Amino acid sequence: MELNPFAHEFHEDPHPTYRWLREHAPLYRNDELGFYALSRYADVRDASLDWATYSSAEGTTVERLDPAWFVERPMMIFMDPTRHDRLRALVSRTFTPRRIAGLEPFVRTTVVRLLGRLAADGGGDFVKDFSAPLPMEVIFTLLGVPDADRRQLRVWMDHSLERDRDTPTVPARALEAMAHLMEYWQQFLVELRRQPNDGLIAGLLETEIDGERLTEGEIIGFCSLLGAAGNETVTKLLAGACVQLARHADQWASLVADPALIPSAVEEALRYTSPSQYQGRMVTKDVTWHGTRVARGTRILLLTGAANRDERVFPDPDRFDVRRHPNEHLALGVGVHFCLGAALARLESRVSLEELTRHFPRYAVDESRCVRVHMSNVQGFESVPFAAR
Ligand code: HEM
């Protein structure tokens, strides 16, 4: 059995591979791509918590980015403490639970506007018409990005994450898109300094702790990080939930009848679909897993997608169950890098499902026409045709 995160067949259904890994190769080695992988829940969790041994400083995907990239636009997700903690503390000054909770009316208005159009047409493409534009509107509003620039930015963000079949080489179109994004954010800061708005980035330009401010590179890194982390994952989560809930019409009917179940359905969609499939790390000292030594300096993947289906923790793990309890999944990470946007992701997902139960109390997905994305660690659909029934 081979684990190749770039294989299109693997994207179709990674779970037979994951099941085999958990059972037969809990420490797996891919010689060709040069990585190890952990797949059991306890192993993924323990390694995630031990940031000193499992470093994020050289990136968190199989493919390696040019180290110059990390210098030009430092991102907290690619840092270890204490550098990471300083950046996270500064950003948390403006990215507050209050600011996020305050977004609910805007999120609901946007959801209702997008779903209203789809309901009038009797359906459409759940991703293109709903789950892609929604988080984009939310993040760009949070950051204070002008309306006119949003569509182009989203295209660049999508391209920057695309990967070719079977290979870890970052394609030229992705590198080009990254460069465009960087230029855009630079210009965006110039404009904001000239004319501040009430967005989060204008706030970050002013934020300080003990007289210390974020550098321009750090703010640009943060814009890029939120653009990527906050858009793609929510898009994939909602689309995955839409497909699963169409497959399980009885569970969808329960949500329509009792919307109080929705938060638990969101957690199950996170566990079951795991939009972020793995977190890559670099081991900083020799370690031993399941009797095998992993040498310092080696890349190791923490397979969140596999951990979230570990039969040692989740009874009947391949069953989608909106009532699952307990459900301590790792889909939002664990430890120092626990998802900064978790509250926002949960808010967007809850409001979306609440409004979906009202606009589409009965619907069907045409799975024969669903299309998957081909990215490195983000998994899910780029097209989900669906219609009211
Ligand atoms: C369903 C949606 C989401 C999923 C599945 C998800 C998943 C994750 C995961 C697994 C991590 C940990 C990465 C690691 O350990 O290396 C993470 C970190 C992060 N996420 Fe999310 N995320 C989601 C939504 C969001 C949103 C909406 C935002 C922002 C608005 C966001 C911003 C971030 C940031 C900034 C980090 C880095 C935190 C740090 O390094 O301290 N995420 N996310």
Side-chain angles (χ1 to χ4, degrees):
M1 189 66 91
E2 191 204 16
L3 167 65
N4 178 348
F6 305 97
H8 287 197
E9 300 70 31
F10 175 71
H11 300 159
E12 272 318 309
D13 183 7
H15 295 290
T17 309
Y18 287 158
R19 200 173 305 124
W20 187 88
L21 292 177
R22 286 191 306 267
E23 193 55 33
H24 301 287
L27 175 73
Y28 166 82
R29 165 83 187 160
N30 184 318
D31 285 323
E32 205 181 317
L33 294 172
F35 67 79
Y36 283 92
L38 293 171
S39 48
R40 290 186 185 166
Y41 183 98
D43 298 349
V44 170
R45 182 201 52 209
D46 293 354
S48 302
L49 289 169
D50 183 0
W51 55 262
T53 309
Y54 301 91
S55 165
S56 298
E58 293 187 31
T60 58
T61 52
V62 175
E63 65 276 26
R64 291 173 194 225
L65 286 172
D66 181 351
W69 196 252
F70 299 107
V71 177
E72 280 168 29
R73 48 170 206 181
M75 296 187 197
M76 67 175 111
I77 202 165
F78 302 143
M79 286 178 192
D80 299 327
T82 53
R83 247 189 115 202
H84 163 272
D85 299 355
R86 170 190 160 268
L87 211 54
R88 184 144 175 159
L90 275 163
V91 159
S92 301
R93 284 280 167 107
T94 50
F95 202 95
T96 56
R98 218 167 123 209
R99 188 188 275 263
I100 300 308
L103 280 173
E104 179 158 347
F106 171 75
V107 172
R108 195 171 297 276
T109 309
T110 311
V111 168
V112 168
R113 175 166 53 78
L114 295 169
L115 283 182
R117 259 189 241 151
L118 279 167
D121 293 345
D125 190 318
F126 189 83
V127 180
K128 295 196 170 72
D129 302 329
F130 181 69
S131 77
L134 173 70
M136 177 176 77
E137 281 305 310
V138 173
I139 288 288
F140 290 154
T141 300
L142 187 70
L143 296 181
V145 171
D147 279 347
D149 303 344
R150 296 180 177 190
R151 191 160 292 273
Q152 177 63 69
L153 275 178
R154 173 72 195 212
V155 170
W156 286 330
M157 284 168 181
D158 281 348
H159 287 178
S160 72
L161 293 178
E162 280 174 11
R163 297 293 180 267
D164 290 332
R165 188 186 270 266
D166 298 330
T167 166
T169 310
V170 182
R173 65 182 182 288
L175 292 173
E176 224 170 85
M178 289 180 203
H180 281 305
L181 284 168
M182 176 109 165
E183 263 168 50
Y184 177 84
W185 294 123
Q186 255 157 0
Q187 195 50 39
F188 177 60
L189 292 196
V190 172
E191 296 294 330
L192 273 188
R193 282 192 209 280
R194 212 167 31 216
Q195 205 172 357
N197 59 21
D198 58 1
L200 187 131
I201 299 304
L204 277 186
L205 288 171
E206 302 301 320
T207 304
E208 37 177 88
I209 293 183
D210 301 332
E212 219 196 331
R213 289 192 179 201
L214 291 166
T215 65
E216 185 154 314
E218 285 168 341
I219 296 180
I220 291 174
F222 186 62
C223 292
S224 316
L225 176 57
L226 283 203
N231 272 324
E232 297 298 339
T233 46
V234 176
T235 299
K236 305 311 179 266
L237 177 68
L238 290 173
C242 173
V243 170
Q244 289 309 323
L245 289 162
R247 274 186 200 167
H248 300 89
D250 54 327
Q251 298 195 43
W252 180 241
S254 321
L255 299 190
V256 173
D258 181 10
L261 269 176
I262 287 175
S264 144
V266 169
E267 298 310 310
E268 181 64 346
L270 278 163
R271 180 190 77 86
Y272 199 84
T273 67
S274 299
S276 173
Q277 287 278 301
Y278 71 82
Q279 274 57 64
R281 299 289 191 257
M282 182 69 72
V283 292
T284 57
K285 62 172 195 238
D286 293 0
V287 288
T288 300
W289 282 103
H290 303 286
T292 302
R293 201 175 124 266
V294 177
R296 174 172 180 240
T298 312
R299 169 108 23 212
I300 190 162
L301 307 189
L302 311 179
L303 299 173
T304 317
N308 283 340
R309 299 279 189 108
D310 189 344
E311 37 293 281
R312 291 157 195 80
V313 174
F314 301 100
D316 202 358
D318 294 324
R319 187 166 50 89
F320 180 80
D321 178 3
V322 296
R323 290 188 172 80
R324 185 177 288 276
H325 182 79
N327 192 352
E328 299 287 325
H329 62 74
L330 305 176
L332 295 163
V334 57
V336 293
H337 293 286
F338 176 73
C339 179
L340 179 75
L344 181 57
R346 287 180 163 129
L347 169 70
E348 289 180 62
S349 307
R350 171 177 58 76
V351 172
S352 294
L353 290 187
E354 283 170 1
E355 294 302 332
L356 199 63
T357 60
R358 293 192 188 115
H359 289 78
F360 288 89
R362 282 161 55 85
Y363 73 92
V365 164
D366 180 354
E367 288 206 40
S368 68
R369 292 194 296 127
C370 286
V371 180
R372 286 186 176 276
V373 291
H374 299 295
M375 296 173 170
S376 177
N377 65 341
V378 174
Q379 191 193 274
F381 295 100
E382 69 175 33
S383 177
V384 173
F386 88 122
R389 279 202 299 142

